[in-house]
């Protein structure tokens, strides 16, 4: 697959939308209607705009985004399931001038990696987490996640999530908002242009918080998984807006960058 | 310039690391190794280093993974249950070809066990780490001086083979005090290795630290590359010490603190009329198999003494390849044999023919 080229100067058209430098040309393996592609692009645009590509390290974790190290055109480390924030801590503590972000799904972050993300926030570790919440384990074929909605059918809640069998969904941002080490914390989505623009603004602020050494930053992106929700892409976007956003309302929880302005 | 100092095993381990250039430590409290993180938290900030207390051993080993990915000289230490929790992270570091140093002050087990001295993590150290086709290079000091020296040297060895190095000791070595020759602290290397991530790229191609190889032939090639490094280590890093009779009837094999007990026993058994030689492996992986095999042709019997119920003996038997009988004397659960007990056993073996 070749990158869209900028027309030469003899052409009177102007390029207004090009491929971000911080993405490679490797074709992404994500399913149609999945929002990972948008999330990747937004992060890459932010890295380009902040001019930090040469000193950024992405921590790819375990799940559908395990190949993030192939897609982001930066230094990269692939971490064990849930351990991204610990790996990021090790990198940031030894190379503080490096910009570090983990890219974690809800299985990775909210289930097996809950301890690592909470303690990284408590230590006010100076890195950024991009948290993809699609209410399901995608890579392993659609099992219940901690973020699965009550009543939601998954391959391990075939009759829908019940309180008795699976307990309550976990709201990560609301938990993190109680921790003083958090410098920027927001929940966004990407189902419409207005949301995409908001999401990008939050991602940029999260990276800015890191560059200003304000502490831990996280942007939760409420995302789709049409394949394991067993929906067409447009149905998935609608279900996200109708069902997920009431459990996971869009909100900027913490923004210490504003105190810095 | 060196100076002699009366110092504990844990402190010697920590100081050995700092003196060699280690500047980053990630750890979690567990007895009997707590003096290592305590020493690190006190001294690392004084030399421009960083100490981080992790939320668990799982986090500690993964912080170490991140630090190692930047090429930093970094370490962790723990004791048996904590080392169990670190197995996954160690496997990732082997697969990602990252150097690091891990100290295990072994305690009695299985389970929560106790904080007594034990050698029952021999298999964990030499057969692990974790899943997959890789291992830790493993060294077993038997004195405070060796804890200091080997922990320092472990950083160079880890860098040379791009593989985790484990220092395997126990609760006695961790807590006993002995005079130790300390050298001046060396500065840590500031130049990042060419494979490292982070830092100033200065136009170099991007680096990826990864252990995921979905292409099966590629994974096999990676594993073969790692195995070639182990073969190279077997050529260059085998270490052992020998003590006692030149023409022995009985060969004693013991490592670490058990070898300290056996030094006395070998002397007394020889005086009692059973010429005995002690062979003490210092490197456990790579294992000094060739030297043990040569002695197996010259002695009547071999007695393996270990603070476990038959782990280390398996490597001795593999080395001996049936050339002579190999017997086990083991204690477990934090219990230790006395030199008298070992002496009696040797004399009994020597007289039974």
């Amino acid at each position: 697959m070749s990158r869209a080229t900028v027309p030469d100067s003899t052409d009177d058209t102007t390029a207004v939308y090009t491929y971000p430098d911080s993405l490679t040309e490797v074709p992404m393996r994500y399913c149609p209607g999945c929002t990972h592609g948008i999330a990747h692009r937004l992060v890459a645009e932010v890295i380009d705009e902040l001019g930090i590509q040469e000193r950024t390290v992405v921590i790819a974790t375990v799940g559908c985004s395990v190949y993030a190290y192939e897609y982001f055109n930066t230094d990269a480390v692939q971490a064990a399931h849930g351990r991204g924030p610990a790996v990021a801590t090790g990198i940031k503590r030894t190379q503080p001038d490096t910009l570090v972000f983990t890219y974690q799904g809800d299985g990775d972050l909210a289930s097996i990696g809950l301890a690592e993300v909470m303690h990284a926030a408590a230590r006010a570790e100076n890195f950024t987490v991009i948290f993809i919440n699609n209410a399901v384990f995608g890579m392993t074929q659609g099992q219940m996640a901690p973020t699965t909605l009550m009543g939601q059918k998954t391959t391990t809640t075939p009759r829908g999530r019940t309180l008795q069998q699976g307990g309550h969904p976990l709201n990560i941002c609301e938990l993190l908002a109680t921790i003083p080490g958090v410098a920027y914390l927001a929940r966004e989505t990407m189902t419409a242009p207005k949301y995409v623009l908001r999401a990008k603004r939050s991602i940029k602020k999260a990276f800015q918080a890191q560059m200003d050494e304000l502490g831990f930053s996280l942007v939760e992106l409420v995302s789709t998984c049409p394949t394991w929700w067993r929906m067409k892409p447009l149905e998935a976007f609608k279900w996200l807006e109708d069902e997920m956003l009431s459990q996971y309302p869009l909100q900027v929880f913490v923004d210490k960058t504003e105190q810095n302005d | 310039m060196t100076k002699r100092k009366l110092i504990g095993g844990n402190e010697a381990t920590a100081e050995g690391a700092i003196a060699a250039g280690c500047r980053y430590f990630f750890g979690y409290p567990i007895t009997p190794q707590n003096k290592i993180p305590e020493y690190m938290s006190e001294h690392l900030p004084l030399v421009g280093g960083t100490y981080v207390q992790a939320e668990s051993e799982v986090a500690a080993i993964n912080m170490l993974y991140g630090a190692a990915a930047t090429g930093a000289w970094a370490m962790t230490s723990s004791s048996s249950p904590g080392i169990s929790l670190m197995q996954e992270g160690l496997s990732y570091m082997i697969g990602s070809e990252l150097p690091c140093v891990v100290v295990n002050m072994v305690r009695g087990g299985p389970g929560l066990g106790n904080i007594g001295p034990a050698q029952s993590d021999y298999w964990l150290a030499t057969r692990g780490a974790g899943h997959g086709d890789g291992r830790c290079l493993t060294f077993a000091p038997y004195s405070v001086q060796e804890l200091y020296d080997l922990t320092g040297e472990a950083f160079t060895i880890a860098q040379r083979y791009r593989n985790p190095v484990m220092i395997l000791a126990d609760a006695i070595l961790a807590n006993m005090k002995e005079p130790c020759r300390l050298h001046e602290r060396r500065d840590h290397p500031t130049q990042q290795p060419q494979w490292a991530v982070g830092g100033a790229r200065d136009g170099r191609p991007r680096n990826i630290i990864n252990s995921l190889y979905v292409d099966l032939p590629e994974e096999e090639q990676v594993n073969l590359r790692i195995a070639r490094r182990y073969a190279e280590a077997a050529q260059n890093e085998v270490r052992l010490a020998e003590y006692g009779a030149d023409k022995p009837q009985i060969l004693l094999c013991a490592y670490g603190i058990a070898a300290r007990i056996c030094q006395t026993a070998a002397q007394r058994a020889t005086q009692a009329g059973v010429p005995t030689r002690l062979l003490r492996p210092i490197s456990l992986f790579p294992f000094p198999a060739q030297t043990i095999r040569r002695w197996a042709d010259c002695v009547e019997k071999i007695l393996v003494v270990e603070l476990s119920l038959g782990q280390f003996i398996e490597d001795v038997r593999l080395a001996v390849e049936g050339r002579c009988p190999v017997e086990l004397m083991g204690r477990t659960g934090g219990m230790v044999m006395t030199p008298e007990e070992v002496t009696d056993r040797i004399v009994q073996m020597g007289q039974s023919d």
Side-chain angles (χ1 to χ4, degrees), chain A residues 24 54 57 66-67 69-70 72-78 80 83 86-87 90-91 93-95 98 115-116 119 123, chain B residues 24 52 55 58-59 62-63 65-67 70 72 92 192 197-199 201 203-204 206-210 212 214:
Chain A
T24 66
E54 285 282 296
V57 179
V66 67
Y67 286 113
Y69 62 84
E70 288 194 354
F72 286 104
N73 190 14
T74 62
D75 275 357
V77 178
Q78 201 288 314
R83 314 303 171 218
V87 175
I91 294 173
R93 293 294 189 115
T94 52
Q95 293 287 341
T98 302
E116 281 76 9
H119 283 277
R123 290 190 306 268
Chain B
Y24 302 97
V52 181
E55 60 270 30
V58 174
N62 283 284
M63 289 175 186
Y65 175 57
T70 71
Y92 270 71
Q192 283 183 288
V197 301
R201 262 171 75 181
R204 72 158 161 78
R206 75 192 189 98
N207 283 331
I208 300 171
I209 301 293
N210 176 39
L212 174 67
V214 287

Side-chain angles (χ1 to χ4, degrees), chain A residues 4-257:
Chain A
T5 52
V6 180
D8 61 41
S9 55
T10 57
D11 197 322
D12 57 3
T13 54
T14 309
V16 291
Y17 193 73
T18 57
Y19 209 86
D21 287 340
S22 296
L23 283 183
T24 66
E25 295 176 29
V26 174
M28 291 182 186
R29 296 165 175 83
Y30 299 120
C31 305
C34 164
T35 44
H36 265 310
I38 302 172
H40 277 37
R41 186 179 168 103
L42 293 181
V43 174
E45 284 181 358
V46 165
I47 293 171
D48 282 2
E49 287 167 20
L50 293 172
I52 55 173
Q53 185 190 356
E54 285 282 296
R55 56 190 186 106
T56 295
V57 179
V58 56
I59 312 297
T61 58
V62 174
C64 290
S65 60
V66 67
Y67 286 113
Y69 62 84
E70 288 194 354
Y71 307 144
F72 286 104
N73 190 14
T74 62
D75 275 357
V77 178
Q78 201 288 314
H81 199 21
R83 314 303 171 218
V87 175
T89 299
I91 294 173
K92 199 71 190 188
R93 293 294 189 115
T94 52
Q95 293 287 341
D97 293 337
T98 302
L99 278 299
V100 179
F101 74 99
T102 67
Y103 190 100
Q104 301 176 258
D106 44 334
D108 192 271
L109 183 143
S111 190
I112 196 168
L114 191 62
E116 281 76 9
V117 73
M118 287 294 155
H119 283 277
R123 290 190 306 268
E125 294 292 344
N126 199 38
F127 63 83
T128 301
V129 174
I130 303 298
F131 168 38
I132 305 296
N133 175 8
N134 60 10
V136 80
F137 276 78
M139 183 70 140
T140 48
Q141 307 188 342
Q143 294 84 3
M144 181 184 78
T147 46
T148 293
L149 304 186
M150 295 309 284
Q152 184 184 338
K153 284 186 181 176
T154 71
T155 53
T156 51
T157 52
R159 288 169 288 277
R161 182 175 189 166
T162 61
L163 183 57
Q164 207 177 20
Q165 182 254 358
H168 292 283
L170 205 53
N171 281 40
I172 294 297
C173 281
E174 285 78 352
L175 282 173
L176 282 168
T178 66
I179 297 176
V182 176
Y184 188 81
L185 181 65
R187 182 186 288 125
E188 305 287 1
T189 189
M190 298 159 293
T191 50
K194 62 176 178 181
Y195 292 136
V196 170
L197 292 174
R198 268 188 60 166
K200 183 174 172 184
R201 194 167 63 231
S202 280
I203 293 167
K204 199 166 186 174
K205 282 205 165 191
F207 274 86
Q208 193 62 54
Q210 183 182 170
M211 291 172 78
D212 295 343
E213 299 180 5
L214 299 177
F216 180 86
S217 52
L218 179 145
V219 179
E220 173 176 344
L221 297 170
V222 184
S223 301
T224 57
C225 182
T227 301
W228 296 111
W229 292 356
R230 301 178 193 282
M231 293 176 192
K232 292 174 181 165
L234 286 179
E235 290 168 359
F237 274 50
K238 187 170 185 323
W239 188 81
L240 185 156
E241 290 181 3
D242 293 348
E243 305 296 330
M244 280 188 81
L245 294 187
S246 51
Q247 174 70 35
Y248 303 112
L250 306 184
Q251 188 182 335
V252 176
F253 294 85
V254 179
D255 184 0
K256 292 183 184 165
T257 63

Side-chain angles (χ1 to χ4, degrees), chain B residues 14-66:
Chain B
E15 179 54 36
I18 294 174
C22 171
R23 289 295 177 270
Y24 302 97
F25 183 95
F26 307 90
Y28 184 81
I30 183 171
T31 311
Q33 60 80 57
N34 292 318
K35 286 277 180 283
I36 297 176
E38 286 169 16
Y39 191 95
M40 288 301 198
S41 68
E42 162 122 26
H43 287 265
L44 279 177
L46 303 177
V47 292
T50 299
Y51 162 87
V52 181
Q53 182 158 323
E55 60 270 30
S56 65
E57 288 90 349
V58 174
I61 195 73
N62 283 284
M63 289 175 186
L64 188 58
Y65 175 57

